Amino acid sequence: MAETPKFTPRVFSGIQPSGSLTLGNYLGAMTKFVDWQNRGTHETIFCMVDLHAITVPQAPDTLRHNTRELCAGFLASGIDPEKSILINQSRVPEHAQLGWIFNCVARMGWMGRMTQWKDKSGKNAEAASLGLFAYPALMAADILLYKSTHVPVGEDQKQHIELTRDIAAKFNHDYDVDFFPMTAPVIEGAATRIMSLKDGTKKMSKSDPVEASRINLTDDADAIAKKFKKAKTDPDPLPGTPEGLEGRPDARNLVNIYAALAETSVADVLAANEGKMFGYFKQDLADLAVSKLSPVSTEMARLMKDPAEIDRVLARGSERAREISVPVLEQVYDIIGMVR
Ligand code: AMP
Ligand code: TRP
């Protein structure tokens, strides 16, 4: 007889409301989330991680705006709040509560090895917030609060999911329980690492001070076309096969973006464009990006006109999330010996 799976198949993922959604978020995360939701094989929970955002300074009004705009981005990309649970992290207090417990499970050494910590704290780690250091423990709490089995993310988050597994394993071992699952990261497709348009060796990021380095989902057609036109490339034409992109990070990035937007493979894009100069290819890429992103940004702008409706979606999401998170936290408190 087939074994009954111990854990409900459940997908969780999060995005920080720390700036405008980028093309990297859209291709690396958002479109994958929509696929998972529509596949219908797993429960799906998506989160605006506002508590993670404040690990670096955020102006309160900007944070509020960005959180609502991110929610509009989820909805405009195809997340249906009836099918998926859509929440902002601070509204489900069990995230922070479990986060504290995981601060006591995780080890300083594990946190110190995180590349995101090293990158973000930079040369002046002494001045970084304690929250930035503990960031991955809160992320583990986001995931394990729902006993999530799968987490779709971009490549940069792989190390954090591995740490989540380490925390789950240590908790299970220390308390001699089989309580948390070993969550699997899901990192697939051409868009797991979209790079800066100004430097093909650097990730496209919301927090990059260079505006021309990224496409925002709020950019209009003109801005998108201009940014692609000015994107960094090399003087050679497009090769006919993926091997021809070796050592050409900027060229590779533009071809990857094209393949992801067209929902095809890099090999197919190259086969169809062999020998073309980047000046022309960039024009095609801009047209494709505008045709795919314009409907999303138009819908986001429409949704942002009614912030009260966005707040209702998030309030309803948190009620549904708490039906799962409250009992899980209760059990955790029992396991670790809190008097209830
Ligand atoms: P963040 O904007 O850092 O909160 O990231 C939210 C999600 O988008 C995570 O799953 C990231 O891995 C993904 N992501 C962010 N930037 C990129 C990028 N440049 N390429 C691919 N995925 C990305
Ligand atoms: N750390 C993730 C990022 O910056 C955001 C995040 C927070 C997340 N909690 C999560 C992603 C849980 C997946 C699952 O991209």
Side-chain angles (χ1 to χ4, degrees):
M1 207 173 73
E3 206 183 321
T4 322
K6 182 172 159 51
F7 297 102
T8 305
R10 191 173 280 148
V11 162
F12 181 97
S13 201
I15 300 188
Q16 298 194 63
S18 51
S20 277
L21 271 170
T22 68
L23 181 65
N25 295 133
Y26 182 71
L27 293 174
M30 209 62 103
T31 56
K32 313 280 173 61
F33 301 170
V34 175
D35 284 349
W36 275 106
Q37 167 193 273
N38 294 341
R39 224 179 280 177
T41 53
H42 290 59
E43 288 182 23
T44 42
I45 306 175
F46 301 112
C47 186
M48 282 124 258
V49 291
D50 44 14
L51 296 173
H52 274 115
I54 60 160
T55 55
V56 297
Q58 303 289 339
D61 285 338
T62 310
L63 179 59
R64 255 187 294 274
H65 171 85
N66 285 343
T67 304
R68 292 191 176 113
E69 193 175 75
L70 177 53
C71 185
F74 273 105
L75 297 169
S77 304
I79 295 298
D80 174 350
E82 294 302 316
K83 291 188 189 157
S84 295
I85 297 179
L86 204 50
I87 52 172
N88 60 317
Q89 191 183 29
S90 59
R91 246 214 185 111
V92 180
E94 292 74 27
H95 286 252
Q97 289 174 287
L98 186 60
W100 175 259
I101 294 166
F102 287 169
N103 281 345
C104 303
V105 173
R107 306 288 95 183
M108 299 279 283
W110 299 0
M111 299 299 184
R113 281 191 284 277
M114 294 294 110
T115 52
Q116 186 171 304
W117 156 254
K118 290 188 217 167
D119 289 349
K120 283 203 178 179
S121 60
K123 290 195 182 66
N124 198 1
E126 291 287 311
S129 74
L130 191 52
L132 188 67
F133 190 66
Y135 179 115
L138 180 60
M139 177 161 165
D142 298 339
I143 295 168
L144 295 172
L145 185 56
Y146 304 98
K147 300 189 177 185
S148 309
T149 54
H150 295 83
V151 179
V153 278
E155 181 66 40
D156 61 323
Q157 295 302 313
K158 190 168 178 222
Q159 200 185 26
H160 287 160
I161 315 287
E162 282 160 5
L163 188 103
T164 298
R165 294 161 67 100
D166 290 341
I167 290 178
K170 183 162 165 54
F171 181 95
N172 287 349
H173 175 267
D174 288 355
Y175 294 103
D176 195 19
V177 287
D178 184 15
F179 188 72
F180 287 122
M182 290 299 123
T183 307
V186 187
I187 303 168
E188 304 171 329
T192 56
R193 200 165 161 78
I194 301 292
M195 308 311 265
S196 156
L197 298 182
K198 289 292 175 194
D199 177 354
T201 62
K202 226 172 97 183
K203 191 186 78 159
M204 182 183 288
S205 163
K206 301 188 180 94
S207 52
D208 193 320
V210 182
E211 174 63 27
S213 69
R214 63 175 165 269
I215 304 288
N216 301 313
L217 285 199
T218 47
D219 286 345
D220 60 20
D222 237 30
I224 294 178
K226 275 205 192 97
K227 285 178 180 176
F228 276 124
K229 222 159 120 195
K230 291 195 184 145
K232 196 169 164 222
T233 36
D234 56 40
D236 294 336
L238 272 86
T241 59
E243 294 74 52
L245 291 171
E246 295 278 323
R248 300 175 64 187
D250 300 296
R252 178 202 296 273
N253 186 36
L254 295 184
V255 176
N256 268 343
I257 294 175
Y258 191 103
L261 283 169
E263 297 175 59
T264 177
S265 68
V266 166
D268 283 350
V269 175
L270 293 176
N273 290 282
E274 181 169 11
K276 197 180 258 184
M277 295 311 290
F278 268 96
Y280 295 104
F281 183 72
K282 287 201 265 187
Q283 186 55 54
D284 294 348
L285 178 54
D287 291 346
L288 176 64
V290 168
S291 75
K292 291 278 178 173
L293 301 182
S294 284
V296 180
S297 59
T298 306
E299 178 62 2
M300 276 173 76
R302 190 189 71 77
L303 291 163
M304 282 303 279
K305 290 201 182 110
D306 188 1
E309 178 53 26
I310 290 182
D311 293 0
R312 274 193 291 277
V313 166
L314 292 176
R316 173 80 190 111
S318 69
E319 276 170 30
R320 290 175 62 202
R322 296 195 74 206
E323 285 169 20
I324 306 171
S325 65
V326 170
V328 169
L329 190 72
E330 286 285 330
Q331 290 171 60
V332 169
Y333 277 171
D334 279 344
I335 290 170
I336 66 178
M338 299 289 154
V339 174
R340 310 296 298 149

